[in-house]
Amino acid sequence: MDKNGSSYGESSSDDVEAPLLLPAARGGTMAKGDRRRPASAAAAAWVRALLAHKYPAIAAGPAACAAVCAAVDLGDGHGEARNMLGVLAWVFLWWVTGAVPLAVASMAPLFLFPALGISSSDDVARAYMGDVISLVLGSFILALAVDHHRIHRRLALNVLSLFCGDPVRPSLLLLGVTGTTALVSMWIHNTACTVMMMPVATGILQRFPRGDIDDGGGQEVRRFSKAVVLGVVYASAIGGMATLTGTGVNIILVGMWSSYFPEQRPITFSSWMSFGLPMAIILFLALWLTLCLMSNGFCREDGLGCGLVVLWMTRNITDNIPGWGVLFHNKVGDGTVTIMMATLLFIIPSGKREGEKLMDWNKCKKIQWNIILLLGAGFAIADGFKTSGLTDILSNGLRFLKGAPTLVIVPVACVFSGIMTEFTSDDSTTTLVLPLFAELAKSIEVHPALLMVSGAIGAQLSYLLPTGSPSNVVGFSTGYITIKDLVATGLPLKIVAIAALTVLLPTLGSTIFGMDIKS
């Protein structure tokens, strides 16, 4: 992906046009030794044209969808679930191969869902403009304002002064950036943390000389840039895992736990932190080591940023301590707050020039609308899982866990949730998976924490695709990383997380959550 937000290898209006029709031969004569060359040359030209226009990759999407719909049999009455698998194969291949622009691939559910009977056109369209989409859109506007007023550079200078020596030690600088991000993410939402810290990270990177892209120095800076951006993305997710307030997943877990199992020991802030903090520390160390290997004044706009963070943190505090959202009957969301604060940027004067506001719409032309559509596609797919019945089929496939040992139940539940979260948001995955795991725990007669905590942790391991979480979207939109970079860095972290959970939940978790492992 380049710095303008276009994926490497992605089709665009700037692509080199390859002719689909060969030009007529000039003259009509040829040398005696070239009489057999026109046929082979024409064939080679056709192949080059097909590859240049990426038609094989384009055809792979519908071909995979057709193959799934024709060959997969999920039983009577599950045609919509089968079609949903086909759509997933189509969209996933287009995302990974870059067959069409990212925005175009992300809009595919808008016509595939109605055409294959998964959901109506109105229902799928609503998924593209929910509260989280508003949150990301407003965050993009705020990030542009931060960049315009160079707030991130001031904070970047502070981080540089603390963690940069002479000469610069990349491992120490990575520790400073990722450690600060993880610490902040423990107390505010992951997305808010990423939006706050990503401009800091890119501000630091802008101070490094880019050099010639082909020389060794340029390649080294590029690798380090990827490591810094990935560090912010993953550190925000890891830090949020440590506390209940760090991510919506943990809050959803607590709510469903108290609803489904009121007789069990309640999950409190302190009890979750006792379990989540060790998990976060293990993952943070794994992240830092992975990235090290990869890399070998207060003004109006400051006040708006800080005010937004305060509003995010205090909208809904706990079940016993309501936030300011209760004044509006809890009908406002994080997206409501973000759009409101973004709107103020176009109203409040900058104080620099007469008639100038903190932001103007011309600067917003840089908004990555393809990323907005990408996230909308993720929510549409989440709805498709539920409405098509595919989620029920997947949960029924887990009933083999009855009587299985703990060392099997925990990783299987975590992997199941961890796979789903790559295609949906963390909160959506948690909302879909935890009720299934709650019922499954009753049917296979195991302690619910084994499945529900595993499902909640797995839902936070959205490390491989941009659609997994808004934090991934923020990092992806910087232009420093590609989907390949996310997979290469996120897969080892995901494996470490599953292994750590498999060890910690039956041991430390048995004391914290009051589990009887023999059950």
Side-chain angles (χ1 to χ4, degrees):
M1 185 170 180
D2 61 24
K3 292 182 181 179
N4 295 324
S6 298
S7 298
Y8 288 123
E10 181 180 293
S11 301
S12 70
S13 59
D14 297 327
D15 287 345
V16 177
E17 293 293 336
L20 288 180
L21 296 177
L22 294 176
R26 295 181 180 178
T29 61
M30 55 185 169
K32 293 181 179 179
D34 293 338
R35 290 179 179 178
R36 294 187 178 182
R37 294 184 60 185
S40 59
W46 276 105
V47 171
R48 287 196 299 271
L50 289 173
L51 294 177
H53 286 278
K54 301 182 180 178
Y55 284 136
I58 292 173
C65 180
V68 170
C69 293
V72 175
D73 183 11
L74 298 178
D76 295 336
H78 294 301
E80 292 180 0
R82 178 203 60 210
N83 294 346
M84 182 63 209
L85 279 178
V87 171
L88 193 61
W90 182 331
V91 176
F92 181 75
L93 282 174
W94 274 8
W95 275 341
V96 173
T97 62
V100 297
L102 188 65
V104 176
S106 300
M107 289 190 294
L110 287 169
F111 66 87
L112 289 176
F113 278 28
L116 296 178
I118 297 173
S119 62
S120 68
S121 56
D122 286 339
D123 290 338
V124 68
R126 291 189 188 99
Y128 282 78
M129 201 59 204
D131 183 65
V132 175
I133 303 293
S134 301
L135 171 64
V136 174
L137 177 59
S139 298
F140 280 170
I141 296 175
L142 290 168
L144 289 173
V146 167
D147 180 73
H148 175 67
H149 293 283
R150 304 179 183 271
I151 301 172
H152 60 293
R153 294 193 177 184
R154 297 200 294 268
L155 188 53
L157 284 173
N158 292 331
V159 174
L160 281 171
S161 64
L162 287 174
F163 293 97
C164 269
D166 188 13
V168 174
R169 296 179 59 186
S171 59
L172 187 61
L173 182 56
L174 278 172
L175 179 63
V177 173
T178 54
T180 302
T181 304
L183 184 63
V184 171
S185 185
M186 289 174 61
W187 313 108
I188 65 174
H189 195 276
N190 295 351
T191 305
C193 176
T194 308
V195 170
M196 178 189 300
M197 293 301 299
M198 191 60 70
V200 176
T202 54
I204 291 174
L205 296 177
Q206 289 169 5
R207 300 183 64 82
F208 286 87
R210 308 308 300 174
D212 187 349
I213 199 65
D214 295 324
D215 65 21
Q219 294 293 343
E220 184 177 350
V221 171
R222 169 181 277 185
R223 288 195 301 270
F224 181 72
S225 299
K226 290 183 178 182
V228 170
V229 173
L230 289 169
V232 173
V233 171
Y234 291 130
S236 64
I238 291 170
M241 189 182 296
T243 65
L244 287 183
T245 56
T247 175
V249 172
N250 294 342
I251 297 174
I252 295 172
L253 170 64
V254 172
M256 291 192 177
W257 179 268
S258 60
S259 176
Y260 279 94
F261 304 101
E263 73 282 358
Q264 295 288 344
R265 182 183 301 177
I267 299 177
T268 63
F269 188 96
S270 58
S271 66
W272 178 261
M273 192 169 182
S274 300
F275 178 78
L277 186 58
M279 273 288 301
I281 292 174
I282 293 173
L283 280 180
F284 178 79
L285 292 176
L287 171 65
W288 182 55
L289 291 175
T290 303
L291 295 178
C292 287
L293 292 174
M294 174 188 292
S295 64
N296 219 28
F298 199 84
C299 55
R300 292 179 179 90
E301 53 271 20
D302 293 319
L304 284 176
C306 294
L308 178 60
V309 172
V310 171
L311 289 174
W312 272 334
M313 293 178 63
T314 58
R315 179 176 64 86
N316 187 16
I317 302 174
T318 65
D319 291 337
N320 297 325
I321 306 176
W324 58 264
V326 73
L327 299 175
F328 302 93
H329 309 287
N330 290 322
K331 291 185 177 180
V332 296
D334 290 333
T336 310
V337 176
T338 309
I339 294 295
M340 181 190 71
M341 300 300 283
T343 302
L344 292 177
L345 292 172
F346 299 90
I347 298 174
I348 300 175
S350 66
K352 297 178 180 178
R353 286 184 289 271
E354 185 176 356
E356 183 184 60
K357 305 298 193 299
L358 291 176
M359 276 291 286
D360 63 79
W361 188 248
N362 286 330
K363 298 183 181 67
C364 293
K365 293 178 180 179
K366 298 179 181 178
I367 291 176
Q368 302 292 328
W369 292 105
N370 58 335
I371 303 298
I372 300 293
L373 291 171
L374 173 70
L375 194 57
F379 286 113
I381 290 173
D383 292 340
F385 266 88
K386 187 175 181 179
T387 58
S388 67
L390 185 58
T391 303
D392 296 333
I393 294 175
L394 294 176
S395 64
N396 289 332
L398 293 174
R399 294 190 182 277
F400 72 91
L401 292 175
K402 186 172 184 178
T406 302
L407 293 179
V408 173
I409 294 175
V410 172
V412 167
C414 186
V415 168
F416 176 82
S417 182
I419 291 175
M420 288 192 63
T421 196
E422 297 298 346
F423 306 102
T424 69
S425 70
D426 298 358
D427 293 351
S428 298
T429 299
T430 308
T431 303
L432 291 172
V433 167
L434 291 193
L436 300 177
F437 281 168
E439 297 298 333
L440 183 62
K442 296 176 182 177
S443 63
I444 66 175
E445 299 176 351
V446 299
H447 194 282
L450 285 177
L451 289 170
M452 296 189 72
V453 174
S454 298
I457 294 293
Q460 299 176 59
L461 305 180
S462 50
Y463 295 164
L464 306 183
L465 295 175
T467 52
S469 73
S471 297
N472 294 6
V473 172
V474 173
F476 192 70
S477 65
T478 63
Y480 284 100
I481 60 175
T482 64
I483 293 179
K484 182 179 178 181
D485 297 322
L486 287 170
V487 173
T489 308
L491 187 58
L493 290 178
K494 201 155 189 166
I495 294 173
V496 171
I498 295 170
L501 180 68
T502 304
V503 174
L504 289 178
L505 188 54
T507 53
L508 179 62
S510 63
T511 301
I512 295 173
F513 302 114
M515 293 189 294
D516 180 7
I517 298 301
K518 294 181 180 180
S519 65

